[in-house]
Structure formats: structure tokens, C-alpha cells
Amino acid sequence: MIGKDEFGDFCLKNWREGREHVYVCWCCLTQGKVFMCHIKPGFVALVTVTLLLSIIAYTYNFSLRPVTFPLSWFNYANQTKFYNVVSEGLSGKRNVWNFFTKKRNETSNTETKPTASIKTEDNSIDKYVAHPRNYHFILDEPDKCKQDPFLVLMVPVAPHEVNARNAIRSTWGTESSVQGKAVLTLFLVGLTGGAEAQQQLEEESRQHRDLVQSNFVDSYFNLTIKTMVIMDWLATRCSQATYAMKVDSDMYINMENLMTLLLSPNTPRQNYITGYLMWNQPVIRDKNSKWYVPEELYPESRYPTYVLGMGYVFSNDLPPKIVEASEAIKAFNIEDAYVGACLKRLVINPSGAPDPSQFRTYVNDPKSTDLSKLITAIAGSPEKVIEFWQNVKGHK
Ligand SMILES: *[C@@H]1O[C@H](CO)[C@@H](O)[C@H](O)[C@H]1NC(C)=O
Ligand SMILES: *[C@@H]1O[C@H](CO)[C@@H](O)[C@H](O)[C@H]1NC(C)=O
Ligand SMILES: *[C@@H]1O[C@H](CO)[C@@H](O)[C@H](O)[C@H]1NC(C)=O
């Protein structure tokens, strides 16, 4: 009974009782996007059994009353809309388990109030300005592209995630020449929390010469700023590259396959962007969602076609165009959809990959998936980045 509700969440079960729907939903979200993930049978069984038991217990205790779903079991008030348990992964990815009830009449949206919601960020949207003109580089590598790279991989990463950077430095980040073409990998971070963290970062920068730092507050909410700063860096420091890729720090990349795609005579060298395509995605209007975007920032109810933020490849003529287009487009906090909005203004359509299965999200079982055929997939952690890499290199 897996269905899809109007938020795009995949729902495992759907009870209908009186005027209310009750869903137990499960989804993996990446920077605001929802896609189905591997459902662990054990967890499904546990949730199902627990719910069945509570229904039985409830009907048994109150058998003289009409049966209604035992909302009290979740320990929240009847007006609650969402209860999110948010755990943060690398590079701002979150796994969210939503336990929520939904009023059948969705127009009651405005009067629903959350009673339980784990929130750690102040989404102060008024002050949200993404245009890179507002920021400057603290750490820079202005001469890196003098080596005339063919492809530059830009990895947004939080300042403290040194393990994620080291995993990449020891795996796909080491590949500086692929099929005879020069490849460069750089990390983009925002401000650190304090002087000591900044010193460590600068030491790391001296050692590896692969860090670019800009002076915006580094947070999940500010990912759009990070992406636009990446575009700005490519436009102003690296215009000689032919292609660039924005790729999250917990991704597996197969450089050979990526290069094969880019060197294919069918792959355009201008106005080209490809990855995992997202069509017709609804804008989340629930104020308690991490991906909430108010109508003032983005009035339409659906996003234009965009490529999922985990890893997208583009011809390097696009960064200056995207930065320019962004002047006219109000920033909102969903970075990949924002790039989609800029592309729409430029009248550039994201391209599907020749083999879409090469851009994967979660790989449930790396042993049964032939990683050697992919271009990119979510590994999920520094350890997995290394494990995926070794799987492929070991098979050669
Ligand atoms: C549940 O809803 C009823 C009717 O809308 C209301 O009177 C009651 O106060 C609500 N309970 C809680 C705990 O909010
Ligand atoms: C939903 O709410 C609207 C506005 O309050 C109302 O006009 C409509 O009749 C309601 N629909 C149902 C099915 O209750
Ligand atoms: C986003 O970055 C701006 C600029 O650094 C900062 O003023 C704002 O507080 C940040 N917002 C969040 C939620 O981190």
C-alpha cells in the first residue's frame, strides 16, 4: 500500500477513519526533494505490528464507542500536522520520518499548529540574499585553473567535515587526469564557528590547496548561497574549464564513466546541464517542513524542471549566465530548484542523461549494484565513499 500523497511523500499505509486520513510515511529527502528509498522490512513490520496492537488495544478498551484511530498513541494534539524526526547526514542531507495526521480538507492548513517539531535553524527568510556579489572569498585558489582543467568538481561541504574531505581526497578526488583530460576537485565552505576552527581550516588549506571559503554563514538553509558562490568562483576564477560539476561530499563518483559521457560527441559543450532530473515538483508550503518556501519568495506551486542537487554536471559557460540570471530571481532556500529557476529564465532545459540509470540516488545494496556502470550515486558517509570506491577499483 505504498502511495504518494500531495506533498510527494511516499506513504506506507493509509487508514481512513471518519474525517481524517492517517498516514505513516517514510521518505528520504535530499535538499528538499523526495524520492522513495529502500524500506527496511524489519521497520515496516515493527511499525505495522505496533499500530495494529494499538488499534486492538484501543478498540478493546473502548469497544462501546465508535472506533477512531488512536492519535494519542503518538502523544500529540489533534491539530498537529507534522511530526518530523530529523537526523542530519552529510552535506545537509536529512532523513526525515514524518508521522502526521492530515485534515481531509487541506484548506484547513492555516489553522493547524504543530505541537512537536524539531527545529534547529532560524529560517530568517527576509535576510536571505543569495547573490554572490554580497560575499567575498576568505580562502581562495585563484591560480588553480591555470592548469587548464577540462572538468572541475566543486564540492560544497561544511567547514567541520574534514573526514568527508579526506575521504574524497583519498578516492575520486585523487584523479587529476582521466582519459587524458585534466580534472580538478575543490571544496567550498562558508564561515567556521570560531577562531580555532578557522585556524584548522587554514592549516588544512595550506596542506592541500583545495579549499575555497566565502564569508556567508554556513548552514543548511544557506545552501543556495553556497551554490551561487560556487557558480561565481567558476565564472571568475575558472572560465577556461570546459565542464564543471557540483557534487555533494557524500557522493560516489565514477570518473571514467563521467568522462566518457563528457567526451561523447553527442554531449553539448554549451548550455548543457545534466543529472538526476526532477519534474513538476510541488513547492512545500508547510511552515514546519525543512523545505518550506513561502509564496513571497516563490509564488508558483511547482518548480521548473531541475537537476537534483546531489550531483549535476554542466558546461562551464553556464556559471556566469546563472549568476547573471540570479539577479532577477528572488532567492529561495532550495538550491537545486533555484538553479532550475535561473535556467528557466535563461530558457535552458536540463538534459536527461543518455543513460538515466547512471545518476542514482541511494544504492541500497552496493554489492548487488554494479557501481562500475554508474556515474554517480549517494554513498552517504565518508566510510561509504571509500567503500564504494574500493569496490570498483578492486574489481578492475
Ligand atoms: C482537539 O480538537 C477539539 C475540537 O477541535 C478541541 O476542542 C480540543 O481542544 C483539541 N484538543 C487539543 C489537545 O488541542
Ligand atoms: C473545504 O473547505 C472549504 C473552505 O473552508 C469549503 O468551502 C469546502 O466545502 C470544504 N470541503 C470539504 C470537503 O469539507
Ligand atoms: C545565511 O547567510 C547569511 C549571510 O551570511 C546570514 O546573515 C544568515 O544568518 C544565514 N542564515 C542562516 C539560517 O544560516
Side-chain angles (χ1 to χ4, degrees):
M1 269 198 282
I2 293 168
K4 201 166 185 261
D5 72 2
E6 55 267 59
F7 289 94
D9 287 345
F10 286 94
C11 295
L12 179 69
K13 253 195 183 286
N14 175 356
W15 288 270
R16 186 184 288 215
E17 202 60 64
R19 300 198 38 155
E20 286 187 342
H21 283 263
V22 177
Y23 295 82
V24 174
C25 289
W26 217 292
C27 42
C28 299
L29 296 105
T30 300
Q31 295 173 15
K33 266 57 58 186
V34 186
F35 43 84
M36 194 153 68
C37 66
H38 195 55
I39 295 171
K40 301 246 173 356
F43 190 76
V44 174
L46 187 69
V47 169
T48 312
V49 165
T50 316
L51 286 173
L52 282 175
L53 282 178
S54 53
I55 290 169
I56 290 164
Y58 188 88
T59 49
Y60 181 78
N61 284 343
F62 303 96
S63 50
L64 293 179
R65 290 194 211 161
V67 178
T68 55
F69 194 81
L71 289 179
S72 55
W73 186 78
F74 285 116
N75 192 27
Y76 54 44
N78 49 5
Q79 291 193 330
T80 300
K81 193 151 193 319
F82 280 87
Y83 179 68
N84 287 347
V85 180
V86 181
S87 66
E88 191 167 346
L90 283 173
S91 67
K93 281 197 186 66
R94 279 152 168 82
N95 305 312
V96 176
W97 298 3
N98 290 334
F99 296 91
F100 61 92
T101 63
K102 193 177 290 171
K103 298 273 186 236
R104 196 164 187 178
N105 192 339
E106 277 304 321
T107 53
S108 61
N109 251 356
T110 47
E111 65 200 53
T112 57
K113 271 232 153 66
T115 53
S117 174
I118 298 167
K119 287 200 118 187
T120 51
E121 288 165 20
D122 166 31
N123 290 359
S124 43
I125 274 160
D126 324 336
K127 295 185 192 131
Y128 194 75
V129 189
H131 198 277
R133 181 183 51 214
N134 297 308
Y135 308 98
H136 67 261
F137 295 109
I138 303 170
L139 295 174
D140 200 357
E141 293 294 336
D143 297 332
K144 270 282 170 183
C145 288
K146 294 223 166 102
Q147 307 158 13
D148 282 337
F150 176 78
L151 169 66
V152 185
L153 294 112
M154 299 295 286
V155 187
V157 59
H160 67 271
E161 286 177 336
V162 61
N163 289 343
R165 291 190 288 274
N166 284 339
I168 292 169
R169 285 176 184 133
S170 68
T171 57
W172 48 265
T174 57
E175 298 198 51
S176 55
S177 174
V178 182
Q179 299 185 27
K181 297 286 184 185
V183 179
L184 193 59
T185 300
L186 288 163
F187 301 97
L188 197 295
V189 300
L191 291 171
T192 56
E196 200 185 322
Q198 183 62 27
Q199 267 181 5
Q200 279 171 12
L201 196 75
E202 286 173 15
E203 179 53 42
E204 189 185 332
S205 167
R206 275 191 290 276
Q207 198 184 338
H208 297 284
R209 300 248 69 112
D210 58 3
L211 288 176
V212 176
Q213 185 186 25
S214 175
N215 71 331
F216 60 87
V217 174
D218 197 306
S219 66
Y220 180 71
F221 183 75
N222 273 346
L223 280 180
T224 301
I225 299 180
K226 216 174 215 179
T227 297
M228 296 313 290
V229 167
I230 284 175
M231 294 299 171
D232 182 46
W233 193 89
L234 288 167
T236 57
R237 311 289 201 271
C238 206
S239 57
Q240 56 270 67
T242 308
Y243 289 102
M245 179 171 192
K246 184 240 145 181
V247 57
D248 285 345
S249 63
D250 60 347
M251 299 297 291
Y252 159 78
I253 297 213
N254 187 312
M255 289 285 196
E256 285 293 329
N257 297 344
L258 175 57
M259 195 55 80
T260 301
L261 168 68
L262 297 180
L263 292 178
S264 155
N266 298 325
T267 303
R269 295 207 166 179
Q270 283 194 332
N271 295 337
Y272 175 72
I273 180 164
T274 193
Y276 188 101
L277 283 194
M278 303 295 282
W279 293 281
N280 208 26
Q281 291 294 304
V283 180
I284 309 280
R285 298 295 189 198
D286 189 286
K287 287 203 167 75
N288 304 301
S289 166
K290 282 283 171 194
W291 302 276
Y292 166 66
V293 174
E295 280 175 42
E296 303 94 86
L297 293 189
Y298 192 82
E300 284 152 67
S301 63
R302 306 243 160 208
Y303 291 122
T305 304
Y306 63 92
V307 272
L308 198 60
M310 61 178 190
Y312 49 84
V313 195
F314 44 95
S315 56
N316 203 37
D317 62 317
L318 286 188
K321 296 177 187 174
I322 290 172
V323 170
E324 201 194 328
S326 77
E327 305 231 14
I329 297 173
K330 217 179 225 179
F332 55 90
N333 47 306
I334 310 292
E335 65 92 12
D336 42 13
Y338 183 73
V339 170
C342 294
L343 292 170
K344 188 183 171 192
R345 187 180 167 85
L346 294 165
V347 201
I348 294 169
N349 291 322
S351 307
D355 176 359
S357 71
Q358 287 191 305
F359 286 86
R360 290 282 293 272
T361 54
Y362 285 94
V363 174
N364 302 318
D365 181 6
K367 296 208 167 55
S368 69
T369 308
D370 194 350
L371 294 168
S372 69
K373 298 222 158 47
L374 304 186
I375 288 177
T376 187
I378 298 171
S381 68
E383 297 73 33
K384 289 278 178 191
V385 167
I386 293 167
E387 186 189 317
F388 279 28
W389 170 265
Q390 285 170 347
N391 276 356
V392 175
K393 294 290 157 177
H395 290 162
K396 274 200 170 165

